[in-house]
Each structure stands twice: as C-alpha cells, then as structure tokens.
Amino acid sequence: AQSRTYTQITSLFLCAFLFFAFVTSSDVIILTDKNFDQLTESGEWLLEFYAPWCGHCKNLAPTYEELATNLKLSGVKVAKIDCTVEKGLSKRFGIRGFPTIKFLKEGNLYDYNQERSVQRFTDFVTSEWKSAPSSALPAKGEFYSDDSLWSEFKYSFVQFERQFGFNPVWLFAGVFVFAVSFSLLIGYFCILPEGPVTPRLDVKKE
C-alpha cells in the first residue's frame, strides 16, 4: 500500500512538472549583449527591444509568443531584448522608445512601424520588409548616435523620463533652486546682527 501511494505521489509530481514546463515554455529567443552577435550571425531575426515596465510591451507579449510559434517552421527567428538589462544593445541600436521592433536580414535592419498583430508581423517578415526604412547592422561597440558625453546624457534622460514619467531636467532645476534658496537663507541669518544696534557717541574730552 505504501509503495502504491509513493508511486501515485511521484506520478502526480511528474505530471505537475511536465505541465509547468509546457506552460512556461517559450519560442521567443532571449538575446543578450553576450550572445547577440553569435546567434544573429546567420538567419533572419525579428527583434523586439522592450522594457518590463512598459505597458505596450506587456500587451504585445501574448501576440509575440504566438508569432514565434507560428514562424518556427518558416526559418524566421523571433527574439526579444530587455533594454533595462542589456544596455549595451540598447545604446548600440539607438533605442528611444518601447517596444521597438526591427527585422534583421542579411546584415540589414528594417524598421517595423505597423500594426502589432500576428498577421501584420507575418506579412512584414515575408515580403513587406522590402519597402521599410533600413540601415546597416551596427558593429559591436558602434552606436547610431555619436559616442559623446552629450549623447550619453540624452540617452540617460530619455530612459529616465520613460521610466518615471517626467523629465529629469525639472528634477535638477528643483534641486538647484532649493540649494540656492537654502544658501541665501543661511547666509542671511549668518550676517544678521544679534539684537538692536545702538549708535556710538563720541564724547569730547575737555
């Protein structure tokens, strides 16, 4: 009896594990700074640059999963890049909004700016990519924008605004105004004399 119970429990756990593995399996490939160039060296790739906090990215997720499954036999690989983690790839491809979709084919990138549906994605990777804006795949360490201090500031500002919902310039301005006001207030109290000032009378000696 104990052996039968043990077998039943083992079978139950095995079924639960297989069910969990099936439910959580994904045909979407995760690309990182480390594996991007090696994996995308050949073949055709549909790339989604996303951020986990982005509402549009969350809405796209089920459609993107379905698309990846549908395109498995076509040879087109469907992948995604988390730009909050893979910041090197985000800067390399000049990502300024989420989600950003690009189609990589034969060393060229084609921008996708159409409806985010399985059918429209399929039509695009099949033939419509030919009429889309394109650019060469940037080499590793190369950026679309010039690699300058100002570019780094602009990139950081855009990412901050998209994540927190307001321009960081206002934050810096507020801190600056507070610091100046506080300094003036401290300076005022430091130079303010204590108590009333009585005039000095010079007494003539006879």
Side-chain angles (χ1 to χ4, degrees), residues 46-49 60 64 99-103 110-112 121:
L46 188 66
L47 309 173
E48 178 200 4
F49 296 86
L60 175 62
Y64 210 63
T100 294
I101 310 294
K102 295 179 180 291
F103 181 50
Y110 300 87
D111 296 334
Y112 183 87
F121 278 127

Side-chain angles (χ1 to χ4, degrees), residues 155-167:
Y155 174 80
S156 301
F157 275 29
V158 170
Q159 296 293 78
F160 184 96
E161 184 174 5
R162 292 192 176 278
Q163 183 167 0
F164 297 102
F166 65 93
N167 196 315

Side-chain angles (χ1 to χ4, degrees), residues 24-45:
T24 57
S25 63
S26 172
D27 292 316
V28 178
I29 300 171
I30 298 176
L31 294 178
T32 66
D33 286 322
K34 294 182 179 179
N35 68 11
F36 182 88
D37 291 288
Q38 180 182 1
L39 293 182
T40 61
E41 190 174 10
S42 61
E44 301 174 359
W45 292 77

Side-chain angles (χ1 to χ4, degrees), residues 9 12 84 96 133 164 175 189:
I9 294 176
L12 182 63
T84 63
R96 293 293 181 265
F164 297 102
V175 172
F189 283 108

Side-chain angles (χ1 to χ4, degrees), residues 10 15 38 40 58 85 98 109 114 120 124 129 138 141 149 161 164-165 173 179 185-187 189 192 194 202:
T10 303
C15 290
Q38 180 182 1
T40 61
K58 294 177 182 178
V85 177
F98 304 111
L109 288 169
Q114 303 178 18
R120 297 301 295 146
F124 186 84
W129 58 269
L149 183 61
E161 184 174 5
F164 297 102
L185 189 64
I186 293 297
F189 283 108
L192 187 68
E194 298 180 0
D202 293 331

Side-chain angles (χ1 to χ4, degrees), residues 168-202:
V169 171
W170 296 110
L171 177 63
F172 294 142
V175 172
F176 177 76
V177 170
F178 174 80
V180 171
S181 302
F182 185 75
S183 299
L184 291 175
L185 189 64
I186 293 297
Y188 173 77
F189 283 108
C190 286
I191 65 176
L192 187 68
E194 298 180 0
V197 178
T198 57
R200 180 180 177 182
L201 299 177
D202 293 331

Side-chain angles (χ1 to χ4, degrees), residues 79-92:
K80 62 182 180 180
I81 300 99
D82 183 351
C83 291
T84 63
V85 177
E86 313 304 332
K87 296 181 180 179
L89 287 176
S90 181
K91 289 190 288 185
R92 176 179 173 183

